[in-house]
Amino acid sequence: MTQTLLLLERLAALIQQLVREDAASHGLLPVHLQVLSFLAQANRYSDMPIAVADYLRITRGTVSQTLSLLERRGLIRKEADPRHGKWIHLSLTAAGEAVLTTSWMHRLEQALAASSADTLAFRDDLAGVLSCLQALNDHRAFGQCRQCAHFLKEDAAYRCGLTGDVLASEQTARICREWIGEKPPAAIPGGSE
């Protein structure tokens, strides 16, 4: 094992331990904390049960049980989509947000800020490794809306080129399950898709 792999393995193990400790301090399991963390970052295309399953790579049954528990505990709320009757959007309640306020993520951000590392270069390097692993394992990428090939800036407005929907500025900083990192290939005239 190379020194880099050893460091990544130790970092991953430490993060897992922090997640377990944070979850236990709130009477939750790690998956519950992971769902809350995801929903705190998800945009309106990703704040749905199917996106939770895709992002965390867990079964729909596990997602259903997890969401039911989080809703009973008052940490999330479910709302029907006004345009698509069968879609359910999920959001954190104030109690759900409070669970995340002192979470492992904040401690990791503090450690990154305290290190002498070039955080932008480090972020880009990690993004490259993540992208390669996702491609090797055929995982959906997810990514920040405004960094997506579908993202369009029109005058003072933002739009999703995939759905045609106007995007609120706040939504463009969130992660999306429809994200792609490269411009989609142009359609071939007369070809089928």
Side-chain angles (χ1 to χ4, degrees), residues 14 20 28-29 50 58 63 68 81 85 87 97 108 117 121 125 156-157 171 188 192:
L14 179 58
R20 281 193 299 271
L28 300 171
L29 295 174
I50 187 66
I58 56 179
V63 168
S68 291
D81 185 290
W87 291 3
E97 290 173 3
L108 186 56
D125 290 344
Q171 289 286 311
I188 299 170
S192 62

Side-chain angles (χ1 to χ4, degrees), residues 24 35 51 58 64 76 79 86 89 102 146 149 151 160 176:
V35 169
I58 56 179
S64 178
I76 65 166
E79 299 173 27
K86 293 184 179 184
H89 292 279
T102 59
R146 69 175 66 147
F151 179 74
C160 175
C176 183

Side-chain angles (χ1 to χ4, degrees), residues 38-39 42-49 51-52 88-91 171 175 177:
F38 170 72
L39 291 175
N43 71 6
R44 69 182 188 203
Y45 302 111
S46 301
D47 63 359
M48 297 181 277
V52 172
I88 299 294
H89 292 279
L90 308 164
S91 60
Q171 289 286 311
I175 58 174
R177 73 187 300 254

Side-chain angles (χ1 to χ4, degrees), residues 57-95:
R57 305 286 294 175
I58 56 179
T59 67
R60 290 179 186 187
T62 299
V63 168
S64 178
Q65 291 174 2
T66 297
L67 296 176
S68 291
L69 180 136
L70 293 173
E71 186 177 31
R72 280 192 314 273
R73 298 273 307 267
L75 302 174
I76 65 166
R77 68 175 121 337
K78 297 177 181 176
E79 299 173 27
D81 185 290
R83 295 186 308 172
H84 306 292
K86 293 184 179 184
W87 291 3
I88 299 294
H89 292 279
L90 308 164
S91 60
L92 297 181
T93 62

